[in-house]
Amino acid sequence: MTEASTTGPSQSSGDHGAAVVTGGTQGIGLAIAKALAAQGRRVAVLGRSVSTGEAARAELGDGHLFVSCDLGDENAIPAAFTEVAAALGPIEVLVNNAGVGRAAGIDDLTSSQWDQLMAVDLKAAWLCARAALTSMGRGGSIVNIASIHAHLTRRGLFPYAAAKAGMLGLTRSMALELADRGIRVNAVCPGYVRTPPMVAQYESRDDPAAAWSHLESVQPLGRVGEPSEIAAVVAFLASGTASFVTGASWDVDGGLGARFAS
């Protein structure tokens, strides 16, 4: 399901090309979509929930697009990107933000659950990049959203950490593969960020206030991040200001990854 306006941002000399944000209907993804729209880009957000997606498109305003797409369905991805290019024009920026996550250990994760997670959290980034390249000209930008768990993790988050570490390897490889086309590929690794799923997780604890207080106490900056703070870094990497940045991984974790456990 899609919705776009014919009265969107003007295609003046200062206008930018279209951008696609997967998992862009809420949380970090929606914040990224807003930041890219603020740059003058025509933004398409991809997601599974029609109601959430339509609300996100309405929040972005006229000239932007929502495409309902299950990134776990390999066959749905090319059609979604064809629809975006037909509605918004050539794709200049792709942000691979979609992820499902799963709390599980080595012994209690099934093979099918592994496949389902990897299909969205890792494989879809490659498939979306491949689909975007049919429309992307020289000078495009791909930003992959990984995680602090790509570098360090904790018990109970297998195979999420494996998928996010894989995202960094994918980023480096794609950066080299696409450099001769002038397409830059970078990754962003958020730490703890105040998103609706994270807030809901902490509100379900036996003592939510104590759990949240402890979480903030281990952050070097004394707080968790906001989606807009991740989005600002993504918007920079997508812009021409970052024209000599490719194959890089940017930690946006408030210094958590630099801290000894204590």
Side-chain angles (χ1 to χ4, degrees), residues 211-262:
W212 192 265
S213 177
H214 172 72
L215 177 65
E216 290 184 326
S217 73
V218 300
Q219 307 294 318
L221 292 181
R223 63 177 179 85
V224 300
E226 298 295 335
S228 61
E229 294 177 302
I230 309 303
V233 177
V234 174
F236 163 71
L237 291 172
S239 74
T241 307
S243 57
F244 202 55
V245 181
T246 194
S249 169
W250 289 59
D251 293 344
V252 190
D253 62 2
L256 185 60
R259 180 175 185 173
F260 273 125
S262 59

Side-chain angles (χ1 to χ4, degrees), residues 81-130:
F81 278 79
T82 297
E83 186 171 348
V84 171
L88 301 184
I91 296 168
E92 185 175 283
V93 172
L94 167 64
V95 180
N96 284 308
N97 171 72
V100 292
R102 179 181 291 274
I106 293 174
D107 293 333
D108 51 55
L109 187 80
T110 67
S111 178
S112 62
Q113 288 171 336
W114 167 281
D115 290 342
Q116 290 165 6
L117 184 142
M118 290 295 175
V120 177
D121 285 25
L122 182 57
K123 185 178 180 181
W126 159 55
L127 294 173
C128 288
R130 187 172 69 177

Side-chain angles (χ1 to χ4, degrees), residues 52-71:
T52 306
E54 289 180 337
R57 196 223 59 82
E59 195 169 342
L60 288 169
D62 290 340
H64 305 292
L65 180 71
F66 163 63
V67 178
S68 179
C69 180
D70 180 359
L71 294 179

Side-chain angles (χ1 to χ4, degrees), residues 9-17 39-42 92:
S10 63
Q11 296 187 35
S12 65
S13 60
D15 188 35
H16 295 280
Q39 289 180 334
R41 301 186 187 279
R42 302 175 298 281
E92 185 175 283

